[in-house]
Structures are given as C-alpha cells and as structure tokens.
C-alpha cells in the first residue's frame, strides 16, 4: 500500500468508527451519500499524480499527516477580529459556533437542518475529496434565500483553533438562492501559524433564475496547514455566480471550482489571485460547463511566486452543442520573483458549438527591470519598488470586486505581502 492509498485508508478507518455518531445518521439519503463517498474514496484513494487533473499537485504530505477528526464541542472561544458586516457566521474547526455568530435570516447550522437540506446535497461525482467530505462532514452553513430576498453582505470566518495535534475538518456548505434573490458572502479562512491541520470544505450552490451570488474567499490558513476546497455551483437562466478567491496562506492549497451554466443568459465570473511564498504550493483548478445558449463567462487568475514555491492553474471551458452564442474568456498570468519559483499552467477549451466567441491564454514573466529602474531613479527603495510593481500586477484581477467589505478584506490580505516575504 503506497502512502497516498494509506492516507485514504486512515480516513476510511476513522469513518468506520464514527458512521453512527455523525449527523444525519437516521436520514436515509445522508447515510447513502456518506456510504457512496466512502466507496469512492475506497476505490480511488486520495488522488495522485497519475490522475491527469492532479499531475501538478502531490497529496502525499496530506496522506502522511495522520489527521484525526473531533466530535467534541468547541471549548474556549478564539479571539475574533472586528466584524466587517452586521451579519457574521463563525466556524471553529468546521463547526458553526452560534454563540460567536450573528446569523442572517434564512441561515442555520447544517447539522441542525439536515433533514430540510438533504435533497440539496450533491453526490460526489467520483471526486475523492468530495467523497471524503461526504463521508466525514459534521456541520456547515445552510442558507436558503427565498424569492426576491436581498441578504446583503454576510461575513463568514473559518477558524482553525486547535494546534496540539493534526486535525481534519470537512464542513459542507449548502447555499440556495431562489429566483431574484441576492447575496454577497465575504469568507476568510485562518489558523495558527505552526499548526498542521486539514480544511476540506465542499460547497453545494444553486442559483435560480435571475438570482445573483457574489462569493469572495480569502484563504490565509496557517503556513503548516492544508486546504483542499471544492465548489460546485449550478446557475439557472439569467442568474449570476461571481467568485473571487485569493490564496495567500497554507502549505498546500487547492481551490477547485465547477460551475454549470444551465439556462440561457446565465453568467459566471471565476477570478482570483495566488500569492505563493517560499515552501508553499497553491493550485487553482476550474471547470466551466456552458450548457445553455447566450451565456457569458470571464476568468482572470494571477499568481505571484516568491522563493522556492509552486503555483498551478488548470482551467477548462466546455461549450456544449446547445450553447450557441457563448462568450467565454480565460486568462492566467504568473509573475516569478525568484529563479526557484515554478508555475504550471494548463488552460483548455473544448467546443462543440459553432457560433461562439471564446479565448484563453497564459503568460509567465518577471518584474520589468526598466520599471524597477524608473522607480529606483525617483528615490523609491528597492523592496518598496518591487512591492509597488507586484500590487500593480494584481490590480486587474481584483478590480472587479466592487463590494466595499470584500475590497477591505482583500486589501488587508494583499497589503505588505511582498515586504513580509522579502524580510
């Protein structure tokens, strides 16, 4: 048994001991989803480099970490930053902490609403990490907005509190917007700097006709942590799913997004940035399924790499035969600040319609020495000049985020990054 299969075996053994204690044990559909997830993980193991979608990201460190899952209640309340929005939802080690949260209307802990939410839990689709989540999730967010509701901006904090032993948590978030509903979520994930933990969230998202969901994610996990997230969104006619993800923490991070545009004039934006420092690995993998006509999509992902680091971008756009008049754009750009940094880029287009406008591209470069000279000649110190150019490089990726709360969260994460890494 190799290390990766062994890692899956550890999770499977843990599930065997916990299956009757996990939430929803009495619900037939939940039990079936958990058993199906276990079957997927048992058959495939944790994905390795022989799997094409994982050829650039090695999960052996995850398999070797021997994580455990905790079913105990949250103990002492962790220190919280000042709230950014009137409604804030706090998760500690993957469980919703109601005593630390100000829940908006129509929101609840998933563990308390599993019976109502179970039909919205999507099957794992043969994805081992989704199967692992289905097998082990304890809690998550259940947010079910009614027709025409405007929830405004909701802040979500994901906190890892335990650092004494390697711990894994697998929150499952179920979000549904009825026709015409609107929602903005600004989500931040953080944890202790030296703690080895695994955060494996899965999001099941449904955006109905004419609804709009803006989803801004700031990943600032501890430097010894792993985050392996999977988002699956289905967007109906005239609906919009707008995602921006900033990866700026963690030892090994993979942000995987699957979006299906199911109805005419549905739209998706999947922009992001990755700030990858020495010893870090960041992977953004996306799959966009244009299944209906007249649907636009936009994706710009920028990666900045310092020290001995590695970044990955894999983006696939599928245009089905029925998806005439598709307008799709995808761009990946990387900025290498070190000769030891590495970027792997694999943009893909698969088109079966004949009336489309689609383009994609990838660029890799270093800081422009002439621009550096220009700034230095005006008295700007070298490190500050580099920071200015890095910030300018990221501008295009973040300028589409218009929510002021989201802008503040992104600015805080990006500001000073190069100075900190250069120190």
């Amino acid at each position: 048994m190799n290390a990766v299969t062994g890692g899956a075996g550890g999770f499977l053994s843990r599930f065997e001991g916990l299956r009757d204690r996990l939430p929803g044990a009495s619900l037939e559909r939940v039990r079936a989803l958990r058993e199906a997830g276990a079957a997927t993980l048992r058959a495939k193991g944790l994905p390795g480099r022989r799997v094409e979608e994982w050829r650039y990201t090695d999960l052996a460190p995850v398999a070797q970490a021997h994580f455990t899952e905790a079913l105990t209640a949250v103990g002492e309340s962790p220190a919280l930053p000042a709230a950014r929005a009137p409604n804030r939802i706090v998760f500690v080690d993957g469980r919703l902490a109601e005593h630390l949260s100000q829940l908006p209307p129509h929101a609840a802990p998933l563990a308390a609403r599993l019976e109502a939410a179970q039909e919205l839990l999507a099957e794992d689709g043969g994805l081992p990490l989704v199967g692992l989540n289905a097998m082990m999730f304890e809690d998550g967010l259940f947010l079910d907005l009614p027709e025409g509701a405007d929830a405004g901006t909701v802040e979500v904090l994901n906190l890892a509190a335990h650092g004494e032993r390697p711990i894994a948590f697998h929150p499952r978030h179920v979000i549904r917007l009825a026709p015409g509903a609107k929602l903005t979520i600004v989500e931040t994930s953080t944890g202790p700097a030296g703690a080895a933990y695994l955060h494996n969230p899965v999001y099941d998202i449904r955006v109905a006709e004419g609804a709009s969901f803006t989803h801004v994610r700031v990943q600032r996990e501890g430097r010894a942590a792993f985050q392996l997230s999977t988002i699956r969104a289905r967007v109906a006619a005239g609906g919009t799913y707008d995602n921006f993800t900033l990866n700026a923490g963690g030892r090994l991070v993979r942000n995987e997004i699957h979006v299906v545009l199911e109805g005419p004039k549905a739209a998706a934006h999947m922009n992001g940035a990755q700030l990858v420092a020495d010893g870090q690995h960041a992977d953004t993998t996306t799959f966009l399924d244009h299944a209906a006509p007249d649907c636009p999509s936009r994706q710009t992902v920028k990666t900045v790499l310092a020290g001995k680091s590695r970044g990955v971008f894999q983006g696939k756009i599928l245009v089905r035969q029925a998806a005439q008049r598709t307008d799709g754009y995808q761009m990946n750009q990387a900025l290498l600040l070190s000769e030891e940094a590495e970027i792997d880029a694999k943009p893909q287009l698969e088109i079966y319609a004949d009336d489309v406008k689609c383009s994609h591209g990838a660029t890799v470069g270093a800081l422009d020495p002439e621009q550096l000279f220009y700034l230095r000649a005006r008295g700007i110190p070298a490190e500050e000049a580099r920071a200015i150019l890095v910030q300018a490089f990221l501008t295009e990726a973040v300028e589409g985020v218009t929510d002021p709360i989201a802008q503040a969260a992104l600015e805080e994460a990006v500001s000073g990054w190069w100075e900190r890494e250069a120190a």
Side-chain angles (χ1 to χ4, degrees):
M1 178 180 292
N2 62 39
V4 174
T5 304
F11 287 117
L12 288 162
S13 297
R14 185 74 173 153
F15 174 64
E16 292 298 325
L18 295 175
R19 55 157 40 100
D20 293 327
R21 297 165 52 196
L22 291 165
S26 62
L27 299 175
E28 182 177 350
R29 174 167 171 75
V30 175
R31 287 185 67 94
L33 282 171
R34 292 195 189 280
E35 296 297 338
T40 295
L41 196 62
R42 194 175 295 115
K44 297 187 175 183
L46 294 180
R49 288 186 170 180
R50 292 185 179 181
V51 179
E52 177 61 27
E53 294 80 4
W54 287 85
R55 63 181 299 187
Y56 303 119
T57 298
D58 185 3
L59 290 187
V62 176
Q64 295 163 1
H66 304 295
F67 296 105
T68 61
E69 285 71 35
L71 290 174
T72 56
V74 177
E76 294 184 7
S77 299
L80 299 180
R84 297 184 186 273
N87 293 313
R88 177 161 70 172
I89 304 171
V90 179
F91 289 88
V92 180
D93 295 341
R95 291 169 303 230
L96 199 156
E98 291 191 73
H99 65 293
L100 302 176
S101 304
Q102 298 82 39
L103 294 177
H106 316 295
L110 181 64
R113 297 294 304 279
L114 262 178
E115 187 169 3
Q118 60 181 322
E119 295 304 321
L120 298 174
L121 295 171
E123 297 179 356
D124 62 61
L127 301 174
L129 292 177
V130 179
L132 173 60
N133 177 281
M135 194 173 75
M136 297 302 301
F137 78 86
E138 299 176 40
D139 202 0
L141 172 63
F142 179 48
L143 181 52
D144 194 7
L145 286 183
E147 186 171 354
D150 187 348
T153 300
V154 177
E155 182 183 13
V156 175
L157 293 180
N158 300 302
L159 306 177
H162 298 291
E164 298 83 7
R165 57 194 174 94
I167 188 170
F169 43 97
H170 316 268
R172 188 66 168 252
H173 305 299
V174 178
I175 301 170
R176 178 169 63 177
L177 280 68
K182 295 181 180 180
L183 170 67
T184 295
I185 284 181
V186 179
E187 177 183 0
T188 302
S189 299
T190 64
Y197 59 89
L198 168 63
H199 182 194
N200 176 40
V202 169
Y203 304 75
D204 293 323
I205 297 170
R206 306 283 183 89
V207 180
E209 293 84 356
S212 177
F213 180 18
T214 298
H215 191 188
V216 177
R217 305 178 64 227
V218 181
Q219 182 280 117
R220 302 180 71 181
E221 306 281 12
R223 286 293 294 268
F226 304 89
Q227 189 192 100
L228 306 171
S229 66
T230 307
I231 295 174
R232 297 181 297 175
R234 308 188 73 88
V235 187
T240 300
Y241 178 62
D242 189 348
N243 178 289
F244 184 95
T245 299
L246 172 66
N247 282 328
R251 173 184 171 187
L252 186 154
V253 173
R254 178 169 166 119
N255 172 46
E256 189 168 332
I257 308 175
H258 301 252
V259 178
V260 182
L261 301 178
E262 296 183 316
K265 298 184 179 180
H269 307 117
M270 297 189 297
N271 300 320
Q274 301 187 116
L275 305 179
V276 196
D278 187 61
Q280 292 182 300
H281 181 109
D283 178 338
T284 292
T285 294
T286 64
F287 179 74
L288 180 56
D289 185 349
H290 280 265
D294 301 301
C295 294
S297 65
R298 296 288 182 270
Q299 183 173 29
T300 298
V301 176
K302 297 205 170 191
T303 303
V304 182
L305 300 107
K308 190 175 182 179
S309 60
R310 188 171 186 178
V312 178
F313 171 78
Q314 301 180 104
K316 181 174 181 178
I317 297 176
L318 169 64
V319 181
R320 299 184 184 273
Q321 188 173 5
Q324 301 294 335
R325 298 173 299 281
T326 287
D327 181 2
Y329 172 81
Q330 179 189 85
M331 175 57 71
N332 170 241
Q333 296 176 314
L335 180 63
L336 304 182
L337 304 179
S338 164
E339 293 183 356
E340 295 183 288
E342 178 181 342
I343 181 71
D344 297 291
K346 191 174 75 170
Q348 296 174 272
L349 292 176
E350 187 174 338
I351 301 173
Y352 297 97
D354 52 17
D355 183 8
V356 302
K357 183 172 69 174
C358 289
S359 63
H360 68 173
T363 65
V364 180
L367 291 177
D368 188 330
E370 292 187 4
Q371 293 177 343
L372 271 175
F373 177 79
Y374 177 87
L375 295 173
R376 292 296 310 281
R378 278 145 184 82
I380 298 175
E383 297 307 325
E384 185 178 342
R386 290 186 175 90
I388 290 171
L389 294 179
V390 169
Q391 197 102 11
F393 174 77
L394 294 171
T395 297
E396 182 185 353
V398 302
E399 65 186 1
V401 178
T402 58
D403 181 88
I405 295 174
Q407 287 177 335
L410 291 171
E411 182 178 347
E412 178 185 322
V414 172
S415 179
W417 176 81
W418 170 242
E419 291 94 329
R420 292 193 298 272
E421 295 309 320

